[in-house]
């Protein structure tokens, strides 16, 4: 529509970020956490969390990858990699936590995750054992 007034069609920053995440899998406009900065003031960065093995931490991030799995008892659990403004962090949601969080994990909102940092001895990689997962929106 050349020459028409497109002011009604302009998207706000949140709409642009959401559309880019859905189509491209990444946002070119802004990191989704930048849009909820005031709601994540108690969270530490993924880099800081890695240095706190054995301690309870709260981090904020967006899902980068996820993979569901079943426990030996047949319950669903989730392996998740989140991304924040400084890096990525692996997170494990055991069945009790996954059951509560799965309703909003499909829509890929920014997440606030509290849990205990642990070390995977086989891989030599730190991960967050989630105790509480909340959607930030």
């Amino acid at each position: 529509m050349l020459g028409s007034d497109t002011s009604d069609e302009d998207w706000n920053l949140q709409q642009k970020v959401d559309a880019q995440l859905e189509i491209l899998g990444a946002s070119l406009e802004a990191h989704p956490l930048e849009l909820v900065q005031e709601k994540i003031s108690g969270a530490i960065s993924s880099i800081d969390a890695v240095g706190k093995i054995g301690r309870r931490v709260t981090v904020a991030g967006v899902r980068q990858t996820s993979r569901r799995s079943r426990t030996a008892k047949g319950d669903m659990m989730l392996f998740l990699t989140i991304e924040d403004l400084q890096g990525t962090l692996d997170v494990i949601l055991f069945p009790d936590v996954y059951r509560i969080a799965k309703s909003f994990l499909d829509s890929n909102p920014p997440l606030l995750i509290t849990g205990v940092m642990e070390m995977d001895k086989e891989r030599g990689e730190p991960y967050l054992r989630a105790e509480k997962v909340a959607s930030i929106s």
Side-chain angles (χ1 to χ4, degrees):
M1 298 175 58
L2 211 53
S4 67
D5 179 12
T6 59
S7 61
D8 291 341
E9 297 175 45
D10 286 346
W11 292 10
N12 67 33
L13 184 58
Q14 180 69 56
Q15 291 169 319
K16 289 178 186 177
V17 169
D18 290 344
Q20 290 170 356
L21 285 171
E22 183 176 334
I23 295 168
L24 304 172
S27 171
L28 305 174
E29 295 291 327
H31 192 283
L33 289 183
E34 292 174 321
L35 301 175
V36 293
Q37 196 69 39
E38 70 283 352
K39 296 179 183 179
I40 60 173
S41 60
I44 64 172
S45 74
S46 58
I47 291 173
D48 290 341
V50 168
K52 298 189 182 295
I53 301 298
R55 295 185 47 201
R56 180 169 284 106
V57 300
T58 298
V59 297
V62 291
R63 179 179 60 202
Q64 190 177 58
T65 62
S66 61
R67 177 179 57 85
R68 288 186 309 202
S69 185
R70 289 200 182 273
T71 65
K73 294 181 180 179
D75 296 324
M76 293 302 292
M77 60 184 290
L78 185 71
F79 294 91
L80 175 69
T81 300
I82 61 166
E83 174 189 56
D84 64 10
L85 298 172
Q86 295 188 5
T88 61
L89 182 65
D90 290 334
V91 181
I92 298 177
L93 282 70
F94 286 103
D96 55 338
V97 176
Y98 179 60
R99 269 191 293 279
I100 295 166
K102 71 179 177 180
S103 64
F104 57 78
L105 285 172
D106 289 338
S107 62
N108 205 24
L111 302 170
L112 198 60
I113 304 171
T114 300
V116 175
M117 287 300 303
E118 297 188 0
M119 182 62 75
D120 182 329
K121 291 179 178 37
E122 286 180 21
R123 294 181 13 209
E125 295 285 330
Y127 68 93
L128 179 60
R129 181 176 37 89
E131 296 174 341
K132 181 180 177 189
V133 180
S135 170
I136 309 168
S137 49

